[in-house]
Amino acid sequence: NGKYDLSAWNDEYWTRFDRMLAETAKRNIMVQIEIWDRFDYVDQDENRWQIHPYNPRNNVNYDYDQSHFAKAYPDHPGANQQPFFFTTPNQRNNEVVLGYQQRFVGELLEHTLRYDHVLYCMDNETNGDEEWSRYWAQFVKQRAAKSGKTVYVTEMWDDWNLAAERHMRTFDHPELYDFVDVSQNNHNSGQKHWDNFLNVRQTLASQPQPMNTTKTYGADGNKFGHSDQDAIERFWRHLLAGAASMRFHRPGSGLGLN
């Protein structure tokens, strides 16, 4: 009837995913996957929630009452009003939705665990609940262990201040998070940008973890007001300071793909 069935896959999606994994493996390109993105589940950015398969209006699997979803989420995802990110057992234990989330991540791992060049980041730019991140980090690691694989996971927190308490959720737990992602430091410039990164390096010195900076912002005319020159300087600072990986963000917020 024109609606999604969350128990049935779109084969083309996984075909493209496999192609990306195979072609990056051929070229020795590391892939860092952000499994969830908070911007996909709100209306604040391009009304994505209105067209999303998990929205009850768009699927045949559950209704608004069963899922505890609302018809609209107009605020920025930083408001944390979307119960999609509170489904796990130590949060609201929403078994109706969690089952489909588990199925998705399980299928993702069926494809990625065939390879050895994939890193796993639980979320994109999150300021959500710590229990959500921990649940999925453990889920990924447990599934990998069942397949006889060792994988490396992290979380990408949204705080531009790398000394913020939220970053300690990864910095202080190397037993779970194998590396850290400090991408949001790239909203800072100059001395502050440099000092922030070095402070993290010092924080991690007793139990060193690789420090990834997956999003180097900066492009002439972008909405953040950062220029091409800002991006180049940020890239070099992180290289000189010892980042394990650096990557420009996509156009028009970065110099990627040029």
Side-chain angles (χ1 to χ4, degrees), residues 154-167:
T154 195
E155 181 61 286
M156 184 194 298
W157 304 109
D158 191 39
D159 292 271
W160 300 5
N161 175 15
L162 298 183
E165 185 64 29
R166 190 173 284 112
H167 284 290

Side-chain angles (χ1 to χ4, degrees), residues 62-241:
Y62 49 66
D63 59 28
Y64 286 105
D65 289 334
Q66 292 168 323
S67 63
H68 303 291
F69 287 138
K71 294 183 179 180
Y73 293 99
D75 295 328
H76 189 279
N80 288 326
Q81 294 176 344
Q82 173 52 280
F84 183 91
F85 297 99
F86 291 86
T87 58
T88 69
N90 289 334
Q91 296 174 292
R92 299 176 187 173
N93 196 28
N94 184 342
E95 295 180 353
V96 172
V97 178
L98 181 61
Y100 293 108
Q101 294 171 328
Q102 292 169 329
R103 186 169 180 270
F104 169 71
V105 179
E107 181 67 13
L108 182 149
L109 294 170
E110 285 291 319
H111 296 265
T112 58
L113 291 176
R114 302 169 191 164
Y115 296 91
D116 296 317
H117 68 301
V118 181
L119 302 172
Y120 300 87
C121 183
M122 300 307 104
D123 291 271
N124 174 52
E125 302 174 10
T126 185
N127 60 357
D129 194 336
E130 181 175 11
E131 288 298 332
W132 166 267
S133 300
R134 292 186 65 85
Y135 177 85
W136 290 111
Q138 292 165 348
F139 184 95
V140 169
K141 286 199 157 184
Q142 289 166 2
R143 287 292 180 97
K146 287 181 181 179
S147 298
K149 303 278 285 192
T150 299
V151 297
Y152 301 94
V153 307
T154 195
E155 181 61 286
M156 184 194 298
W157 304 109
D158 191 39
D159 292 271
W160 300 5
N161 175 15
L162 298 183
E165 185 64 29
R166 190 173 284 112
H167 284 290
M168 301 305 120
R169 297 174 180 177
T170 44
F171 297 171
D172 290 347
H173 292 283
E175 78 285 353
L176 178 59
Y177 299 106
D178 309 278
F179 65 106
V180 302
D181 191 296
V182 294
S183 293
Q184 296 309 92
N185 186 38
N186 288 304
H187 281 293
N188 298 307
S189 299
Q191 191 70 40
K192 184 176 182 180
H193 179 258
W194 173 256
D195 289 342
N196 273 357
F197 189 86
L198 292 186
N199 288 339
V200 174
R201 181 171 171 158
Q202 183 61 39
T203 298
L204 301 177
S206 62
Q207 292 182 290
Q209 298 160 270
M211 298 174 285
N212 284 12
T213 176
T214 298
K215 294 179 180 176
T216 303
Y217 298 109
D220 290 346
N222 81 90
K223 65 181 180 180
F224 298 115
H226 305 318
S227 66
D228 289 5
Q229 184 65 24
D230 286 322
I232 295 167
E233 291 178 5
R234 288 167 181 150
F235 185 95
W236 277 102
R237 283 191 211 100
H238 279 155
L239 178 66
L240 293 169

